[in-house]
Amino acid sequence: MSDSSNPKLTISPDRLEKQIADYKPLFTKSEALIEANRCLNCYDAPCISACPTGIDIPAFIKKIATGNILGSAKVIFEANMLGYSTGRVCPVEDLCVGACVYNDLNYSPIQIGRLQRYATEKALEKEVSTGKKLFPRNSKKSEKKVGLIGAGPASLACAAYLALDGVEAVIFEKDGLPGGLNTKAVAPYKFHTEDSINEANWILQHGVELKTGVEIGKDISLEQLIDEYDAV
Ligand code: SF4
């Protein structure tokens, strides 16, 4: 696994997007507990089948309801390392929330995205304040090396899982910042660029190497990449 330490990525602190408030702000602790306790913990839960990343939604909600925020965040991240941003940018009304059984009962569906945001945001805050990692870096090194093209959400998540398995994961990004659409193309009432960069920094700290300003086919050829890496 690469031991390179990526410099912490930052953006200008006075961006105009900061003036745009969240459309769905972070739940307070009481709001999260009340909402989590409404979940029926359905057997064969339709919300899971509707989630493209297959997060065990009733399991993470139950952990919020019992005050186990770190456990809840782990359930989310084990299925989806980008669980923080997806909790905020996914069209949940068409996915998990749209599939919640409460819709058929003419009750308000469980606010799954907001609960997901609550668990992941609180867990990441705790990681910063205690220095205790949710997913400690893997000390076992594999001989394998994987190159990933583009630092969008799919590459970031894939690289994080590889790094956690001890595989050297190197991302090549032609722009100056990682995050792809999350960084450049989400409406700021949902998610700020700063949040995307913070999430990317969190991913990189698991042992992922990021090379920015490198365009495949221009700065390095695909053939060279295929030659140098076990998988691309
Ligand atoms: S369908 Fe709704 S009530 Fe059932 S487990 Fe999923 S979120 Fe909870």
Side-chain angles (χ1 to χ4, degrees):
M1 185 172 65
S2 166
D3 197 35
S4 72
S5 47
N6 298 289
K8 192 167 180 214
L9 301 158
T10 53
I11 54 169
S12 164
D14 49 5
R15 293 168 60 84
L16 285 177
E17 66 177 4
K18 287 206 163 166
Q19 297 172 18
I20 300 173
D22 278 353
Y23 175 60
K24 294 180 183 172
L26 179 67
F27 271 148
T28 62
K29 185 177 178 186
S30 309
E31 287 170 337
L33 278 174
I34 290 168
E35 190 65 2
N37 277 290
R38 286 180 62 231
C39 176
L40 301 171
N41 198 20
C42 305
Y43 179 75
D44 206 11
C47 53
I48 302 179
S49 325
C51 172
T53 59
I55 295 173
D56 189 340
I57 291 166
F60 93 71
I61 292 179
K62 179 122 188 138
K63 287 189 180 343
I64 295 176
T66 54
N68 181 2
I69 302 303
L70 295 184
S72 175
K74 277 193 113 170
V75 170
I76 296 164
F77 288 132
E78 277 164 3
N80 175 4
M81 280 302 266
L82 274 283
Y84 172 59
S85 55
T86 50
R88 298 183 61 184
V89 307
C90 266
V92 289
E93 286 76 14
D94 296 324
L95 299 169
C96 54
V97 173
C100 177
V101 294
Y102 271 118
N103 290 294
D104 294 332
L105 302 171
N106 284 328
Y107 282 99
S108 168
I110 300 295
Q111 294 303 297
I112 299 165
R114 293 185 74 183
L115 287 172
Q116 185 170 317
R117 174 183 180 179
Y118 180 81
T120 52
E121 193 162 325
K122 289 291 168 191
L124 295 183
E125 273 174 22
K126 188 143 195 176
E127 208 184 73
V128 171
S129 66
T130 62
K132 200 163 170 224
K133 304 287 179 212
L134 269 178
F135 299 97
R137 280 177 75 153
N138 193 331
S139 54
K140 280 191 246 146
K141 288 184 186 175
S142 146
E143 297 298 307
K144 302 291 180 194
K145 222 164 87 158
V146 175
L148 300 103
I149 302 175
S155 267
L156 287 171
C158 178
Y161 290 124
L162 287 167
L164 288 172
D165 273 346
V167 176
E168 182 174 340
V170 183
I171 302 178
F172 296 87
E173 168 58 52
K174 71 175 178 177
D175 290 336
L177 290 173
L181 286 178
N182 276 351
T183 296
K184 291 190 239 166
V186 177
Y189 65 84
K190 281 189 169 185
F191 195 57
H192 287 180
T193 298
E194 187 179 26
D195 300 321
S196 176
I197 299 303
N198 288 341
E199 182 178 56
N201 278 322
W202 180 69
I203 292 286
L204 297 177
Q205 75 176 17
H206 295 94
V208 174
E209 185 177 355
L210 172 67
K211 292 180 187 287
T212 53
V214 181
E215 186 171 348
I216 307 304
K218 189 173 154 208
D219 303 304
I220 177 171
S221 71
L222 183 59
E223 292 71 28
Q224 193 183 342
L225 212 58
I226 290 170
D227 258 10
E228 288 178 14
Y229 289 80
D230 296 292
V232 175

